[in-house]
Amino acid sequence: MSIIVSAVYRREIDPEPARRRMLAVLQELTPERLRSSAALDVRDGAGHVQGTVNLPGHYPRRDLSLCQGKLYDSEETWWEPGTRAPDGSFAILREDADRFEAVSDPAGSRMLWYLHDDHMFVVSNSERAITMYTGRFALNRSVVPWVVSTGTRGLGASYNAHLRLLPPAAVASLDKASWQLQVAAEEIRFVETPGSREERLADLDEALAGTFANFGAEDSAHAVISLSGGCDSRALAAYLGRDAAAGWRSYSIGSAKAIAMPGSDASIAARVAAALGLRHRTIVTDPGTGDIGELARRFVISGEGRHDGLIRLDSGSELQRMSMEGVAAIVRGDEGFGWKPVAPTGLSVRMSMDLLLCGDIANLKPHLAAFGLDGHELPEELRRAPGESIETWRDRLYQRYRIPTLLAALTEHKAITFDTINPLLSRRALKLTRSLPDTLRTDKALFRELVGKIGPDVPFAGRDGAPSRMQNTRHPEVLRAVRRTLASPACEGLFGPGLARWLRAEIHPARYHWTRMGQVLGRVQRRYLKQPRGNDTVHLDPLRLAFRLFVATTMVEQLEADAGLQPADAQIDRAA
């Protein structure tokens, strides 16, 4: 991913030490294996210093206004504060003499964090960058129950209490004269409009075709399609593949074992690519050699501890090779067309969103008070509204919580070396989806019908291609690293000794084997004897809970170190 950082000051600063500080931040953030080829750039203006790492040269930029990503509209005024936010997959920073603005895309698919105080306004897609540049870190203890129950920090929260996440379809506008910051976000509203199924299908096709009409040979020269055996990426390939002259490339990932299986993600992706005339490559993601525990730690830090999905344990050398071949961006199939069917209960909806509360976790529930996790509640914004159907609430949670909190984090992490573009999350697509009846959103019914019409005659994949996050987490060396972390003073200080020691006992190798066996037998029993799970709690693998503590402890230690990296500089802060 490219990194962007802007620091805007209220009063006059000396630009030279500010530039040096910014350059030091960019160098520290660049992975060691990429430093020799990384493009680091620092610019400054009146009371403003801006840094970027590997920002593709074809991205829109004008003075200290920049667009990290892809615009789907020919918005000639995208760079002007106060103008309409364009459609696209982007993070925008823009400035004039009176205002500085940070703009998120319609889905919040790219994270923009900010810190605002009486002295400065700092914006970046990296929490580490802001922490490092400002030298400020204060632990946000409100994230602790969310880390335990979801593996994220919750809605819009960072480990660093000074930082906030810009919501989807939002503008954070700083008035330089008054130094007042206003954050305005579009409301996510689902309102059904009239229309037949055929009319809606045509409207969806038109909306997506209008989005993909903005892609061409200039994009295919710098980007590749992330292709799986599923429905979403097939839509990408079908629409982009219509422009044969563009010569699009694609890739898929999978373990060596899965790649050899005819119905796996990777093998089906290769068949789809061949049917559509795409140049395709398959990347093997088996665990690398060396210190696997250290690979897991680096993986957490590279993703800034935003999720608990250990989705890669390989070295990433194949992705680095793609970068060396000129690939700057990945076109991905994240979407918001509707989520899978759920039982008509609050727990079922939230469970499908990975939005559990601590009290929902059966094996944790008896210990909530002892571990200081009682009283954990859903924010008002995420609760079911009066008169809102289960299906509408489900899909609103998907767009307000899951996409900007979890998918955005996973998107950045799945393509550490590249930027990411998500055409299926265009404003056109989201607007149309929010106008559909529940039946056409559930399980993406309308979208699936459209993909069936425009896609090749290739079956969908029947199994994943890459190891699951829990398969990677159960690697013996990862398990050892997690247990070491749980025994550390840092982990006990963050989560309390009770929780850390309880989980360490739960994942002891001798005990964990039988715990896992019990979970598997329980699932088999419920499935074949038709026994209900129960509707008020869910059992979570203790290793998954333990890994969440590993992620948070690792990242908090890193942020504390980042904050101490750059001492205060009176030459920069002389007017503070």
Side-chain angles (χ1 to χ4, degrees), residues 7 9 12-25 42-44 48-50 132-134 566-575:
Y9 288 85
E12 181 186 0
I13 63 166
D14 185 339
E16 285 310 310
R19 289 175 61 93
R20 289 195 297 270
R21 179 185 287 188
M22 182 65 74
L23 181 60
V25 169
V42 179
R43 305 181 184 189
D44 67 88
H48 183 179
V49 60
Q50 185 178 87
M132 210 179 295
Y133 185 84
T134 62
Q566 304 242 36
D569 192 325
Q571 295 180 80
I572 303 176
D573 306 327
R574 65 189 180 193

Side-chain angles (χ1 to χ4, degrees), residues 262-456:
S264 71
D265 251 351
S267 63
I268 293 296
R271 291 177 59 185
V272 170
L276 295 173
L278 307 178
R279 292 175 289 160
H280 187 74
R281 74 198 300 169
T282 303
I283 297 176
V284 179
T285 58
D286 291 320
T289 57
D291 188 340
I292 299 297
E294 176 60 18
L295 274 178
R297 190 190 72 84
R298 291 179 186 175
F299 183 86
V300 169
I301 293 173
S302 65
E304 304 202 347
R306 294 168 178 156
H307 63 88
D308 68 340
L310 188 57
I311 52 178
R312 298 186 69 91
L313 274 179
D314 61 299
S315 65
S317 58
E318 282 294 320
L319 293 176
Q320 188 174 358
R321 186 173 296 114
M322 285 171 56
S323 177
M324 298 297 291
E325 294 171 0
V327 175
I330 302 294
V331 184
R332 282 189 50 81
D334 289 351
E335 45 72 35
F337 294 117
W339 196 226
K340 56 192 177 185
V342 295
T345 67
L347 177 61
S348 295
V349 171
R350 291 187 290 101
M351 186 177 173
S352 76
M353 295 294 125
D354 288 315
L355 187 55
L356 293 175
L357 300 172
C358 288
D360 296 326
I361 303 172
N363 41 330
L364 188 63
K365 193 171 183 176
H367 311 288
L368 293 182
F371 296 161
L373 298 174
D374 48 345
H376 187 205
E377 296 182 349
L378 203 64
E380 183 67 33
E381 183 179 355
L382 299 183
R383 296 176 187 176
R384 185 179 178 186
E388 189 174 38
S389 70
I390 280 284
E391 293 80 9
T392 297
W393 181 39
R394 173 201 65 196
D395 293 343
R396 180 171 64 82
L397 284 181
Y398 194 95
Q399 294 190 14
R400 181 61 189 95
Y401 169 78
R402 189 173 174 86
I403 291 174
T405 302
L406 183 57
L407 295 192
L410 287 168
T411 290
E412 293 187 25
H413 217 164
K414 286 179 179 176
I416 296 169
T417 314
F418 310 103
D419 270 338
T420 305
I421 302 167
N422 279 297
L424 300 181
L425 291 175
S426 68
R427 181 181 286 119
R428 293 180 179 92
L430 292 172
K431 181 179 179 181
L432 189 140
T433 300
R434 293 168 190 169
S435 73
L436 297 177
D438 291 345
T439 54
L440 294 186
R441 290 196 318 274
T442 297
D443 208 20
K444 300 183 282 193
L446 189 70
F447 176 67
R448 286 181 182 277
E449 184 176 345
L450 177 61
V451 175
K453 292 179 179 294
I454 66 171

Side-chain angles (χ1 to χ4, degrees), residues 12 80 90 99 112 188 216 222 321 438 448 471 492:
E12 181 186 0
E80 292 184 355
F90 58 73
R99 282 179 292 183
L112 266 182
I188 296 176
H222 303 287
R321 186 173 296 114
D438 291 345
R448 286 181 182 277
Q471 284 178 297
E492 291 193 357

